[in-house]
Structures are given as C-alpha cells and as structure tokens.
Amino acid sequence: MFSDPYDSSSVVPFPASRGKRQPRERLLEAMLLTSGEIGYEQVSVRNVIERAGTSRATFYKHFEDREDCFACAYSEASEWLYRRLLGVARREPTWRAGLRATLAELLEFCANQPALAKALLIEVHAAGKRPLAQRADLMERLSRALDSARREIPSRQAPPPITSGFIVGAIQSLLAAKLLDGDAERAPEMLPGLLHFVVMQYLGESAAWEEMTAAPLATWSARRQAAAELPHGG
C-alpha cells in the first residue's frame, strides 16, 4: 500500500465547506479559481476580492500581497489534494489496487475541477519561489509514496531510485497538457494508459497489460450520471 510519514488528521479540507465560510477561506479559493481561469499573471487583488465578496482591507488583513495569497492557497489546496489521494490509496489492500484508485481519483479531480487543477499544476510556475518550493516538496512526497511499490516486489526487480520522480513528473506533464487543451473533462479516459505506464516500471509488461486491458473504473461523468439517477428520499 502507499504510505507516508505525515499525520493526515490535522489537514483542513479544501475547498472549505459550502456552509458559512470565513473570508480567508473565500479569498484562498477565489485566488486559485481565478488563477486557473485567466492565468496567475493576469490576476489582481481586485479580481480576488470581488470573487470572494470581501473588501481590500480584509484581503490585506490576511495576506501581505497577491503572491502571499497564492502561496497560502497553493499550500492548503495541494495538501488537501495530496491527503485525498493518499487516503484513497490507503483504503486498498495492495499497491497496485491503490495506484488504480488514486489515478482514477486524480483524473476525476481534473475533470470535475479544471480551474483548481490548472492553478495547482500549471499556474504555480508563474507564482514565485515560495509556491515552487512547496511544489517541489509535494512532488518529492508523491514520489516516495509511489515508490512504496518496492515493498511488494523482489529487490532485484526494483527499478532505479529515480523512477518514481520521473513517473510523477510525467503524469503531471500529461495532465497539464490536457488542461491547457481545454479537454479536462476527458481526463478519466487516460486511466488505462497511465496504469500501463506506471505498472510497467515496477511490475513488468505482463502486469502492465493486465491493468490496461481490465475493465477501467467508471469515468467521472459516468459516476456522476449514475449518482444523479439514484432515487432520492422524500
């Protein structure tokens, strides 16, 4: 199974609950969504406060400037996504099953929240040193979690240590391309190919083809459609 030394019990959900949200939470979400929609370099404090429904004074009460706001938003949102993915993996009995569930969850996230995904995967590169340092740490943690596959395979069959970092970077690049093309809704269709790519590196060609040809998990749109068709209590 995937593992990580951090305690997930203290993680604050993101986006915040849709109930009565505090101004800071609304500002963080507004920063990321606006950045994902028009690009970080085009975002102004005015854009953010108007979307969040707050005042300029409230913005500067919580953040030093636009850069500080994005860095805080990126830190909380990326941690939320990381915990969400790790939690999905931990519920599965094997590394392979955890990988399958995690990739499906990540692809559905991109399909369901493309603006947020674009902010986290693409616009972070334009937002300065602080969020880039946070991104580097996140990529390292994801790489370590992925590399836990070594516990389930003989050491002589294990790939080089750099493999997990290469895989995480490649997946990020593929998702970024899908988001830039405006085709995020079809991201879940990448699941069989990504499973083949990742499993091949750790478990070999036979296991990789098994993953690719097996019935894939339902796509995001199919799962949402099925949920909508369920009977609702009166």
Side-chain angles (χ1 to χ4, degrees):
M1 286 186 290
F2 286 67
S3 61
D4 182 82
Y6 292 80
D7 176 18
S8 61
S9 62
S10 61
V11 177
V12 177
F14 191 98
S17 63
R18 295 297 174 180
K20 184 177 181 181
R21 297 184 296 160
Q22 297 300 312
R24 183 178 183 277
E25 296 171 340
R26 301 201 306 271
L27 287 165
L28 292 174
E29 186 176 48
M31 170 58 78
L32 291 179
L33 293 178
T34 306
S35 295
E37 290 169 359
I38 68 174
Y40 172 76
E41 293 183 344
Q42 305 303 317
V43 175
S44 66
V45 172
R46 180 177 179 179
N47 295 144
V48 176
I49 62 177
E50 288 181 351
R51 182 163 196 156
T54 63
S55 66
R56 187 171 292 270
T58 300
F59 180 92
Y60 286 106
K61 174 183 176 181
H62 295 286
F63 310 108
E64 294 180 4
D65 49 28
R66 181 186 68 153
E67 290 77 7
D68 182 42
C69 181
F70 186 94
C72 291
Y74 178 84
S75 177
E76 295 193 17
S78 62
E79 185 71 10
W80 163 80
L81 179 60
Y82 173 75
R83 296 300 179 188
R84 177 172 166 179
L85 297 177
L86 196 66
V88 166
R90 283 175 168 170
R91 290 195 289 271
E92 301 298 330
T94 65
W95 175 86
R96 191 165 156 180
L99 173 70
R100 190 183 311 124
T102 300
L103 285 177
E105 186 75 11
L106 176 61
L107 295 174
E108 289 183 5
F109 163 71
C110 290
N112 190 23
Q113 301 189 61
L116 182 55
K118 192 173 180 181
L120 296 179
L121 298 179
I122 300 172
E123 295 307 319
V124 60
H125 294 282
K129 294 181 179 180
R130 189 167 141 209
L132 281 176
Q134 295 168 345
R135 176 187 177 276
D137 177 70
L138 176 65
M139 297 286 279
E140 174 62 26
R141 291 163 63 192
L142 286 169
S143 297
R144 290 200 303 268
L146 179 64
D147 209 42
S148 61
R150 295 176 182 276
R151 299 175 184 174
E152 300 183 18
I153 58 178
S155 59
R156 64 181 181 277
Q157 297 179 12
I162 64 172
T163 300
S164 61
F166 169 77
I167 292 172
V168 170
I171 293 174
Q172 192 273 342
S173 296
L174 289 169
L175 290 177
K178 183 70 72 173
L179 290 163
L180 286 171
D181 288 343
D183 199 25
E185 186 172 330
R186 299 186 62 184
E189 296 174 12
M190 300 168 65
L191 180 61
L194 286 179
L195 284 170
H196 180 276
F197 167 64
V198 179
V199 172
M200 171 75 83
Q201 315 309 314
Y202 284 98
L203 303 177
E205 185 174 357
S206 178
W209 279 105
E210 285 178 10
E211 286 295 335
M212 187 172 186
T213 57
L217 298 179
T219 63
W220 168 81
S221 57
R223 289 170 69 170
R224 297 305 182 276
Q225 182 177 352
E229 292 173 355
L230 291 175
H232 299 280

